[in-house]
């Protein structure tokens, strides 16, 4: 048999054997066919890659690398807020860059830089696998690829762009030496603070030229490349600061691993805190803060990355309304700033800061913010900072959780707004994970008191117990659904003090929470950009991303949210801590908040069409430690019912002036109304001119003034006819600071809001800050300029008995005025 005949025989045998197989088995290809197909595909891929490598040229630098401005507009789409975004870049040669700086960047970004050929296949495969397995979007780009992306391409995340990046990186690596590539990368990378390139970064973060950079400084700048804005430790949140420091350590460890640095020198390195950020030009007044809120929304939401946004060329239409923004600024000036005298009281009237935000409850649009006195002088956006405890403005969250818990205190009956609790001061909380016995304001005992009455007087012992009864995990879950971010400090269900407001959401976060209550439990994440476009559509290749939708999510069922609103209306009543808001003259609901040691004071409130939060605090501009508000404007104590409520009232009155007065459309559900069908009206419609001051008129002549003020308000008794609860003695109430004005006058007894009746006010005692865990001084700055969220190491809390600040604080000088509460025109204490 010849070889040819043998081959033919073997083929025939294989054909016969295959014909003998079952039909479905014959459909499967043989291993020879599979192997041939794979080899053919591989050859085609290699051939295609070779053709593309030859055909695809090195492009010109991308047009986005040319400096352009971002244009920010008010909600009308016409009025300009500011222009920003001119690229701050000064190119340097490789010889000007210290060797340790180059080594730090290589150690942080691409440890195979000097060995790879422009791409790192192993790193790309690892990044792809991590992405596919749900470990988050991973980057496997080399320094060469990042340089190509920065200089030649765009930041868009597409397969086509990534393919071009790989091809061009291979070409660049063959045509240029490593020093040239590294120089290009260092000159085009974004480091945050508007700084492009290593020279601008050295000036922005350390005030030096690049040749003067030290080892530790170089390692920090290298660490910034991963997350430029988030890792700026001068303005980062506590979590991001920790990540930035960890990245700094990673960089130094890499230098040791690669042989660039000895272990001894590495151990001697100390983290180099950068200098304070300097404000950009053209952002004076509130403009810089508005730009910051818009930038934060775009970058935190993943709509644009920080580098693409800062490169410029965007036309950004915001949701801010100029008339409301101007009204907020005027309210802060007229109700607070005008009463400060830093020259006469430098120890108390300096560095007083206001954080504020206003949101449309129906849509979530951010209508106005107050981020500080002037961005040109203070480039920290106080509206976004997350390091001030919110005190008793958190109690509505406790109430909402209690109403949905399905069980009462000590029995199985469902909780309602009229459920009674023991209001004894310093009563140990039953069932708490750690011992906790918070005092009421001034140590006042209330005896048996309803949740409604306890909210009006801000009784700590009641809401600490109600929160534990509802379940601290449920309280936290309710807070998250309403809009408090999960990562803010102080929202720990292992610590019962959470119930009294140890959480530190920003003013914008808090405004969103109260907007959800105003919107019957339907919550929006506050948003601040309504349109995004390229300034010059014909230049640059960056695509314009679509903005997300803004559908609400149900945070609470309507009956629960409306029951909370019904209770919060009573806070704005002659006997409530928010009595100063009666001057608004229209239906409103809200809650005051004052924290331990008088470190912050808050008022958050809403009408049917507007939700606004206002926070007040003092901060040392050098150490960024919080300082007590006591002594501000010459008053011994500043409560949430004073300046914050007055600012809220003045702002809300101006922006709603001339609009139709709307009542709350409430469906609070069964058993959540006033006993006997009567309800205390908050701010009835059509009685008091906007801007008029509030003074109780239902108190008989010579009787003590009703209480008002901070969230820790104590004193008073249950209303007559509510079951014979013990009555605490009433005492005179000190007044809130207020200058005489042409519009200031007493409040006329108000007509009743439809569907509501008035009852006589209940006596009350002077307010003071909510007893909270002591806040610790901040060790780092806690606000980002512009877009970034401020927040330094937050105050810590200690389980157990919370000290009463009115008994532990240093007595104020005798020259100070009485505590500032809520009621202008009330007599001072004897």
């Amino acid at each position: 048999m010849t070889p040819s005949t043998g081959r033919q025989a073997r083929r025939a045998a294989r054909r016969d054997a295959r014909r003998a197989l079952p039909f479905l088995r014959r459909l499967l290809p043989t291993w020879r066919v599979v192997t041939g197909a794979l080899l053919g595909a591989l050859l085609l891929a290699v051939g295609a890659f070779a053709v593309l490598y030859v055909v695809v040229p090195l492009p010109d630098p991308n047009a986005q690398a040319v400096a352009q401005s971002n244009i920010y507009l008010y909600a009308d789409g016409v009025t300009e807020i500011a222009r920003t975004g001119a690229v701050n870049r000064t190119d340097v040669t490789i010889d000007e860059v210290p060797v340790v700086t180059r080594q730090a960047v290589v150690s942080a970004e691409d440890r195979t830089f000097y060995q790879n050929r422009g791409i790192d296949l192993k790193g790309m495969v690892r990044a792809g696998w991590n992405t596919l397995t749900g470990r988050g979007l991973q980057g496997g780009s080399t320094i060469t690829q990042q340089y190509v992306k920065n200089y030649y391409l765009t930041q868009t995340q597409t397969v086509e762009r990534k393919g071009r990046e790989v091809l061009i990186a291979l070409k660049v690596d063959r045509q240029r030496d490593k020093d040239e590539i590294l120089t290009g990368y260092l000159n085009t990378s974004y480091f945050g603070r508007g700084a492009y390139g290593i020279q601008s970064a050295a000036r922005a973060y350390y005030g030096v030229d690049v040749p003067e950079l030290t080892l530790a400084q170089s390692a920090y700048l290298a660490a910034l490349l991963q997350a430029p804005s988030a890792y700026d430790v001068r303005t980062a949140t506590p979590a991001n600061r920790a990540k930035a420091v960890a990245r700094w350590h990673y960089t130094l460890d890499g230098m040791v691993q690669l042989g660039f640095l000895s272990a001894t020198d590495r151990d001697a390195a100390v983290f180099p805190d950068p200098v304070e950020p300097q404000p950009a030009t053209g952002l004076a007044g509130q403009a810089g803060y508005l730009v910051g809120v818009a930038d934060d929304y775009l970058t935190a939401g993943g709509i644009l990355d920080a580098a693409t946004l800062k490169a410029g060329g965007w036309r950004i239409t915001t949701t801010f309304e100029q008339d409301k923004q101007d009204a907020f600024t005027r309210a802060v000036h007229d109700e607070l700033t005008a009463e400060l005298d830093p020259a006469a009281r430098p120890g108390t009237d300096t560095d007083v800061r206001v954080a504020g935000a206003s949101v449309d409850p129906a849509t979530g649009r951010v209508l106005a913010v107050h981020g500080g006195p002037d961005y040109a002088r203070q480039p920290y956006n106080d509206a976004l900072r997350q390091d001030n405890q919110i005190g008793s403005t958190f109690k509505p969250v406790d109430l909402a959780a209690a109403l949905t818990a399905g069980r009462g205190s000590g029995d199985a009956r469902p909780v309602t707004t009229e459920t009674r609790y023991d209001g004894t001061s310093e009563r140990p909380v039953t069932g708490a994970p750690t011992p906790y016995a918070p005092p009421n304001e001034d140590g006042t005992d209330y005896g048996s008191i309803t949740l409604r009455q306890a909210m009006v007087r801000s009784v700590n012992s009641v809401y600490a117990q109600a929160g534990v009864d509802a379940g601290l995990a449920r309280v936290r879950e309710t807070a998250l659904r309403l809009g408090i971010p999960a990562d803010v400090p102080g929202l720990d269900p292992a610590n019962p003090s959470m119930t009294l407001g140890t959480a530190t959401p920003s003013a914008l976060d808090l405004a969103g929470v109260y907007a959800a209550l105003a919107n019957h439990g339907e919550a929006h994440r506050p948003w601040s950009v309504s349109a995004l476009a390229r300034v010059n559509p014909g230049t640059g290749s960056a695509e314009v991303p679509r903005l997300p939708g803004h559908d609400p999510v149900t945070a609470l069922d309507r009956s629960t949210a409306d029951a909370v609103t019904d209770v919060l209306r009573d806070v704005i009543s002659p006997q409530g801590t928010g009595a100063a808001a009666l001057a608004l003259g229209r239906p409103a609901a809200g809650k005051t908040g004052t924290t331990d040691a008088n470190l912050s004071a808050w008022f958050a409130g809403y009408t049917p069409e507007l939700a606004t939060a206002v926070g007040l605090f003092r901060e040392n501009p050098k150490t960024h430690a919080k300082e007590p508000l006591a002594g501000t404007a010459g008053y011994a104590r500043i409560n949430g019912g004073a300046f914050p409520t007055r600012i809220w009232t003045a702002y809300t009155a101006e922006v709603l002036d001339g609009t139709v007065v709307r009542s709350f459309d409430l469906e609070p559900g069964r058993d959540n109304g006033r006993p006997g069908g009567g309800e205390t009206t908050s701010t009835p419609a059509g009685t008091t001119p906007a801007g008029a001051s509030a003074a109780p008129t239902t108190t008989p002549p010579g009787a003590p003034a009703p209480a008002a003020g901070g969230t820790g308000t104590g004193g008073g008794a249950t209303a007559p006819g509510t079951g014979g609860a013990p009555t605490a003695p009433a005492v005179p109430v000190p007044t809130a600071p207020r200058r005489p004005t042409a519009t200031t006058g007493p409040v006329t007894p108000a007509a009743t809001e439809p569907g509501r009746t008035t009852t006589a006010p209940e006596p009350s005692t002077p307010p003071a800050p909510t007893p909270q865990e002591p806040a610790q001084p901040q060790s780092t700055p806690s606000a980002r300029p512009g877009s970034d969220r401020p927040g330094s190491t937050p105050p810590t809390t200690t389980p157990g008995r919370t000290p009463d600040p009115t008994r532990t604080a240093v007595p104020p000088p005798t020259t100070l005025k009485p505590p500032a509460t809520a009621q202008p025109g009330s007599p001072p204490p004897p």
Side-chain angles (χ1 to χ4, degrees):
M1 179 182 294
T2 65
S4 176
T5 304
R7 284 194 299 271
Q8 292 175 358
R10 286 193 295 272
R11 290 194 191 104
R14 285 196 297 270
R15 284 196 300 270
D16 292 339
R18 188 166 183 80
R19 291 192 188 102
L21 294 173
F23 173 74
L24 293 178
R25 176 64 183 82
R26 293 199 304 271
L27 294 178
L28 297 176
T30 65
W31 66 270
R32 292 180 176 85
V33 173
V34 172
T35 302
L38 290 176
L39 288 174
L42 180 61
L43 290 173
L44 285 174
V46 171
F49 186 88
V51 171
L52 289 172
Y53 182 86
V54 172
V55 171
V56 174
L58 286 181
D60 294 328
N62 64 67
Q64 193 174 342
V66 179
Q68 296 185 80
S69 293
N70 287 329
I71 301 175
Y72 295 81
L73 305 173
Y74 280 108
D76 61 11
V78 176
T79 308
E80 188 172 307
I81 299 173
R83 288 177 179 251
T84 67
V87 175
N88 175 20
R89 177 187 291 121
T90 302
D91 289 348
V92 293
T93 66
I94 195 66
D95 294 333
E96 295 176 87
V97 181
V99 173
V100 291
T101 305
R102 302 178 225 168
Q103 293 170 341
V105 170
V106 169
S107 300
E109 292 295 298
D110 181 8
R111 294 181 181 179
T112 67
F113 173 69
Y114 289 110
Q115 290 78 42
N116 65 50
R117 297 300 180 185
I119 63 173
D120 180 3
L121 291 176
K122 183 178 179 181
M124 293 170 66
V125 171
R126 181 178 61 252
W129 175 254
N130 288 339
T131 300
L132 290 174
T133 54
R135 298 181 186 178
L137 186 63
Q138 301 288 315
S141 298
T142 62
I143 282 178
T144 307
Q145 288 175 263
Q146 294 180 63
Y147 165 58
V148 167
K149 179 176 64 175
N150 293 340
Y151 192 67
Y152 295 109
L153 304 175
T154 70
Q155 306 292 325
T156 55
Q157 297 293 326
T158 64
V159 175
E160 184 270 342
R161 198 273 297 157
K162 191 68 176 178
R164 293 185 66 206
E165 175 189 301
V166 170
L167 289 171
I168 296 171
L170 289 169
K171 278 198 167 187
V172 166
D173 187 75
R174 286 180 59 86
Q175 297 178 14
R176 298 179 184 175
D177 62 36
K178 292 294 186 179
D179 279 350
E180 189 176 358
I181 294 170
L182 185 58
T183 303
Y185 176 68
L186 291 173
N187 282 330
T188 58
S189 293
Y190 180 63
F191 289 82
R193 297 194 181 185
Y196 283 82
I198 190 68
Q199 166 62 22
S200 297
R203 298 298 308 174
Y205 286 91
Y206 294 107
V208 300
D209 292 319
V210 68
E212 302 171 61
L213 287 172
T214 66
L215 166 65
Q217 293 170 346
S218 298
Y220 176 64
L221 294 182
L224 282 170
L225 290 165
Q226 187 179 63
S229 296
Y231 286 1
D232 185 346
V233 296
R234 281 294 186 185
T235 60
T237 62
N240 281 341
R241 178 183 171 85
K243 291 177 182 178
V245 174
R247 184 70 176 177
W248 179 77
H249 284 296
Y250 169 84
T251 301
L252 291 174
D253 291 340
M255 295 180 72
V256 174
Q257 178 185 330
L258 295 175
F260 297 147
L261 184 66
S262 70
T264 302
D265 290 340
R266 187 261 177 271
D267 292 339
V270 177
F271 186 80
D273 279 306
V275 300
E276 296 285 354
Q278 299 302 309
T281 58
L283 298 177
Q286 294 296 306
Y289 305 126
L290 300 183
V291 167
V293 174
D295 284 357
D296 183 75
Y297 173 73
L298 292 172
T299 57
I303 300 167
L304 289 176
D305 64 79
T308 301
L309 177 61
K310 291 295 184 182
W314 298 98
R315 183 183 182 89
I316 300 165
T317 302
T318 70
T319 60
F320 308 122
E321 297 183 8
Q322 188 175 20
D323 60 335
K324 294 179 175 61
Q325 187 60 47
D326 292 344
F328 216 141
T329 302
R330 278 191 293 272
V332 172
H333 176 271
D334 294 347
E335 301 300 327
L336 173 66
T337 310
E339 295 201 22
L340 301 177
D341 190 348
R345 296 181 292 269
T348 59
D349 282 16
T350 56
D351 309 316
V352 180
R353 295 162 71 157
V354 175
S358 189
V359 173
D360 176 5
T363 64
R365 292 184 306 124
V366 183
L367 304 175
V369 299
H370 190 277
D374 186 339
Y375 189 78
R377 291 189 289 114
Q378 179 205 291
Y380 303 113
N381 200 332
D382 291 333
L384 297 179
R385 65 188 306 148
Q386 292 178 325
D387 64 340
N388 288 304
Q389 293 183 347
I390 59 172
S392 288
T393 58
F394 189 82
K395 285 176 181 171
V397 178
D398 297 328
L399 178 59
L403 294 177
T404 60
R407 59 188 175 87
S409 176
D411 57 45
R413 288 176 295 180
V415 170
T416 72
T417 60
E418 310 313 312
T419 296
R420 289 187 170 276
Y421 273 79
D422 183 356
T424 302
S425 181
E426 298 189 65
R427 182 183 66 81
V429 175
T430 303
T434 57
Y436 192 49
N440 296 329
E441 182 60 33
D442 293 328
T444 303
D445 294 330
Y446 292 89
S448 177
I449 188 171
T450 67
L451 286 174
R452 178 186 298 271
Q453 295 163 342
M455 184 72 75
V456 171
R457 294 178 173 84
S458 204
V459 181
N460 292 328
S461 58
V462 167
Y463 274 95
Q465 185 66 63
V468 170
D469 288 347
L472 296 178
R474 182 192 299 273
V475 172
R476 183 179 191 275
E477 178 187 357
T478 302
L480 298 184
R481 290 202 308 268
L482 285 168
I484 293 181
D487 59 350
V488 299
L491 201 62
D492 181 8
N495 193 335
S497 64
M498 175 184 71
T499 58
L500 301 185
T502 56
T504 60
S506 69
L508 183 56
D509 297 329
L510 188 60
V513 170
Y514 277 67
L517 295 174
N519 199 33
H520 311 292
E522 297 295 307
H524 294 86
R525 178 195 171 211
W527 54 284
S528 55
V529 174
S530 60
L532 187 65
R534 297 294 297 174
V535 173
N536 298 309
T539 64
S541 56
E543 298 177 1
V544 178
R546 292 186 60 184
L547 294 174
H550 305 291
D551 296 329
V553 296
T554 301
L556 299 172
D557 63 76
R558 177 164 184 165
S559 62
T560 299
D562 286 1
V564 174
T565 294
D566 188 58
V567 171
L568 295 185
R569 287 194 295 177
D570 287 349
V571 174
I572 304 177
S573 64
Q575 69 269 31
T577 62
L582 284 166
L584 180 63
R586 61 170 67 215
K591 187 69 186 76
T592 52
T594 313
T595 59
D596 187 31
N598 212 181
L599 293 180
S600 63
W602 291 85
F603 184 78
Y606 51 96
T607 64
E609 57 271 89
L610 192 66
T612 306
V614 179
L616 186 68
F617 63 98
R618 290 184 65 233
E619 180 177 284
N620 187 299
K622 295 182 179 179
T623 66
H624 296 276
K626 296 299 189 306
E627 297 177 340
L629 288 167
T632 300
Y635 290 85
R637 186 173 61 216
I638 303 297
N639 291 325
F643 290 119
T645 305
R646 283 174 39 186
I647 292 169
W648 181 92
T649 304
Y651 163 73
T652 306
E654 180 173 345
V655 300
L656 296 183
D657 186 30
T659 64
V660 175
V661 175
R662 292 174 56 187
S663 297
F664 289 103
D665 178 20
L666 301 182
E667 300 173 6
R670 183 180 177 183
D671 300 327
N672 282 322
R674 271 277 184 179
E679 303 176 26
T680 307
T681 185
S682 56
T683 48
T687 59
T688 306
S693 65
T697 57
T698 52
T699 304
T711 60
T713 302
T718 55
T722 56
T727 302
V731 298
V733 177
T735 66
R738 191 176 185 87
R739 303 177 320 285
T741 64
T743 59
T744 300
V747 175
T748 305
T752 305
E753 181 182 347
R756 291 172 68 85
T757 60
T758 58
T759 60
E762 303 170 29
S764 161
T765 60
T770 300
Q772 302 248 335
E773 302 296 340
Q776 303 300 322
Q778 320 299 306
S779 60
T780 58
S782 49
R784 296 181 211 167
S787 68
D788 299 321
R789 291 187 183 272
S792 64
T793 305
T796 57
T797 58
T798 304
R801 181 185 180 280
T802 309
D804 183 347
T806 62
R807 287 180 277 182
T808 59
V810 177
T814 56
T815 56
L816 292 181
K817 290 175 272 189
T821 58
Q823 303 258 3
S826 302

